[in-house]
Amino acid sequence: MTEMLRAPAEVKYAEELDWLESVDDGPKPFSWRLSPRMVRLFVLGSERADGLDREISPKWFGDRSFVERSIVTLASDRGLLLIGDPGTGKSWLAELLAAAISRNSTLVVQGTAGTTEDHIKYSWNVSMVIAKGQSRASMIPSPIMTAMEKGVIGRFEELTRSTSDVQDALISILSEKYVSIPELEDDNIVFAQPGFSIIATANSRDRGVNDLSSALKRRFNFVRIPVVTNKKSEAEIVRFRTTELLRRHQIDLDVPPNLLDILLQSFADLRAAAASATSDDEKLESALSTAEQIGVLEDAILHSTFFGDRSLKAETLAGSLVGSLARRSPEDLAILNKYWHGVVEPRSKEDGGEWPAFLEGGRQAIATLS
Ligand SMILES: Nc1ncnc2c1ncn2[C@@H]1O[C@H](COP(=O)(O)OP(=O)(O)OP(=O)(O)O)[C@@H](O)[C@H]1O
Ligand SMILES: [Mg+2]
């Protein structure tokens, strides 16, 4: 296997998936590669009660009810729509489910204002059409059509960003389970094979979730993924992602647990402040998601590796936090400044430890950006 910047989950966890498949004796819907229980186990990790000979690490952190509901939906007639704030792991969960169920998570359509019906149905290879005419050979199936033909899961990212034409085309795919190709005289219907389904994601901060037509809503089961607010699970996610990141960049650096605590505490404080804010100007533009936390830590780690002495310092972490969260000037900077005065300063006096260095690093970063 050649190196990839980011391998899809079915490649990254190929060995684990092979093993799970080999020990899986549960009933499998359609052509699923794993039984529903094994899919859940792959996503959420194993527990002692599962009685397996090896430990399966958790990959998505969150309530198991969301994962179970998602799996049940995929075995049903309906598509799955994962909705939630940015950075809550919707796309990652979609990828893991497609990898576990179909061993293929890369049949993805990205929803944008420019997505057209062709992107979810098919288009033509123009030079082949000119040379040989329209036929199945000169047709370019979309990822969704390929998923239908193979009886696997197709993914649709950011469903609500696409136009209503595209959404309408999806309605017919989800209800009829075939696509007709009127340009062809024969062999002009592509039927979905059993096992085909769609996992779509939508960001609840984007306008549009409510604008989905009721016909489309009826063809999807909605699973709402909340922002993780439990500090323990959040610490786990951040640690899991960071370890992976360090491995990917081949960086040998320890993230001191007390700095991780400071990061988690700061996000918890900033979220509490956002929750009690009365206007948007008093709220950071960032959704303060777990993904954002991972981003801050990644930034700090890379900074320390490239420009520091290869150990993560509280000052650097503070600088990355301010740099990442101060998107709007002056609004975001004012909010951070208030937080630094009102919360970090007293904490630094009371708790000591790395807080004073964090205080100083943040002050400097705010001053530089102001
Ligand atoms: N609950 C979670 N479990 C594991 N990883 C998570 C979780 N939440 C977020 N992450 C990590 O955060 C990063 C961003 O997640 P992802 O892209 O899936 O978010 P998203 O909900 O699709 O966001 P967006 O709405 O912006 O597309 C990923 O690296 C993902 O692994
Ligand atoms: Mg996403």
Side-chain angles (χ1 to χ4, degrees):
M1 181 66 56
T2 53
E3 286 219 11
M4 290 178 232
L5 187 54
R6 187 184 164 286
E10 64 274 20
V11 173
K12 188 159 147 203
Y13 301 112
E15 192 269 333
E16 199 174 272
L17 287 165
D18 282 340
W19 185 80
L20 286 172
E21 208 173 323
S22 74
V23 298
D24 188 3
D25 51 12
K28 304 178 183 81
F30 316 113
S31 52
W32 285 23
R33 298 286 293 268
L34 292 177
S35 63
R37 276 173 184 274
M38 282 296 183
V39 175
R40 182 184 72 191
L41 200 145
F42 172 71
V43 173
L44 293 172
S46 56
E47 288 167 16
R48 193 165 289 159
D50 293 313
L52 293 181
D53 293 342
R54 70 182 264 190
E55 198 184 325
I56 301 299
S57 65
K59 296 159 194 79
W60 188 81
F61 300 84
D63 199 277
R64 70 194 266 164
S65 65
F66 301 132
V67 176
E68 288 175 359
R69 186 166 146 75
S70 300
I71 297 172
V72 169
T73 298
L74 292 169
S76 81
D77 210 27
R78 255 172 280 179
L80 169 65
L81 179 58
L82 300 172
I83 308 183
D85 271 349
T88 44
K90 302 180 293 295
S91 300
W92 177 230
L93 178 58
E95 179 176 339
L96 290 169
L97 289 169
I101 292 172
S102 309
R103 283 286 188 114
N104 187 342
S105 65
T106 57
L107 295 170
V108 187
V109 173
Q110 188 69 43
T112 67
T115 308
T116 63
E117 228 184 293
D118 292 359
H119 292 115
I120 62 167
K121 290 186 165 173
Y122 57 90
S123 53
W124 299 97
N125 176 333
V126 178
S127 57
M128 255 178 93
V129 170
I130 292 171
K132 295 186 178 157
Q134 275 174 328
S135 70
R136 281 298 270 273
S138 54
M139 196 182 91
I140 307 170
S142 70
I144 299 288
M145 193 183 239
T146 304
M148 293 173 79
E149 288 180 296
K150 293 188 171 179
V152 299
I153 288 179
R155 295 174 49 203
F156 199 126
E157 286 283 296
E158 309 291 355
L159 176 65
T160 46
R161 287 194 195 156
S162 61
T163 59
S164 51
D165 289 3
V166 173
Q167 295 180 15
D168 284 347
L170 209 55
I171 294 179
S172 84
I173 290 180
L174 282 168
S175 42
E176 265 68 271
K177 312 271 194 232
Y178 67 75
V179 170
S180 57
I181 312 160
E183 294 93 332
L184 296 184
E185 264 177 36
D186 38 39
D187 198 10
N188 57 4
I189 295 183
V190 171
F191 291 97
Q193 297 302 306
F196 165 71
S197 191
I198 290 182
I199 306 180
T201 62
N203 189 320
S204 44
R205 289 221 174 185
D206 284 346
R207 257 172 295 142
V209 177
N210 297 320
D211 302 337
L212 283 180
S213 73
S214 54
L216 193 60
K217 280 185 190 158
R218 261 183 280 122
R219 283 164 180 87
F220 278 106
N221 270 348
F222 287 37
V223 173
R224 283 186 187 277
I225 309 288
V227 173
V228 181
T229 46
N230 171 321
K231 254 201 221 159
K232 195 166 147 276
S233 338
E234 189 150 43
E236 265 180 311
I237 301 176
V238 176
R239 223 176 284 122
F240 167 77
R241 278 293 156 187
T242 314
T243 315
E244 218 173 58
L245 184 97
L246 293 170
R247 206 182 310 127
R248 170 144 55 93
H249 289 292
Q250 298 179 339
I251 294 175
D252 185 23
L253 178 149
D254 281 330
V255 177
N258 52 357
L259 288 188
L260 194 58
D261 284 345
I262 289 184
L263 178 67
L264 292 167
Q265 185 60 52
S266 311
F267 265 71
D269 292 338
L270 288 165
R271 277 178 196 149
S276 60
T278 47
S279 81
D280 277 350
D281 280 354
E282 293 169 31
K283 268 187 213 164
L284 286 170
E285 197 194 65
S286 160
L288 298 168
S289 64
T290 310
E292 187 96 66
Q293 261 177 71
I294 297 169
V296 168
L297 193 57
E298 172 172 19
D299 190 89
I301 288 172
L302 293 179
H303 202 98
S304 315
T305 308
F306 297 153
F307 304 117
D309 62 0
R310 295 180 163 264
S311 66
L312 184 60
K313 299 268 185 343
E315 288 92 338
T316 315
L317 185 66
S320 296
L321 191 139
V322 171
S324 306
L325 297 184
R327 298 204 180 126
R328 297 172 309 173
S329 179
E331 295 89 339
D332 284 348
L333 275 171
I335 295 166
L336 288 166
N337 195 31
K338 193 170 150 206
Y339 170 66
W340 241 264
H341 277 296
V343 182
V344 181
E345 208 173 291
R347 273 241 160 77
S348 144
K349 287 197 185 109
E350 280 163 33
D351 300 358
E354 294 290 335
W355 282 98
F358 187 74
L359 173 71
E360 196 41 44
R363 267 187 187 150
Q364 278 176 18
I366 293 171
T368 312
L369 292 172
S370 299

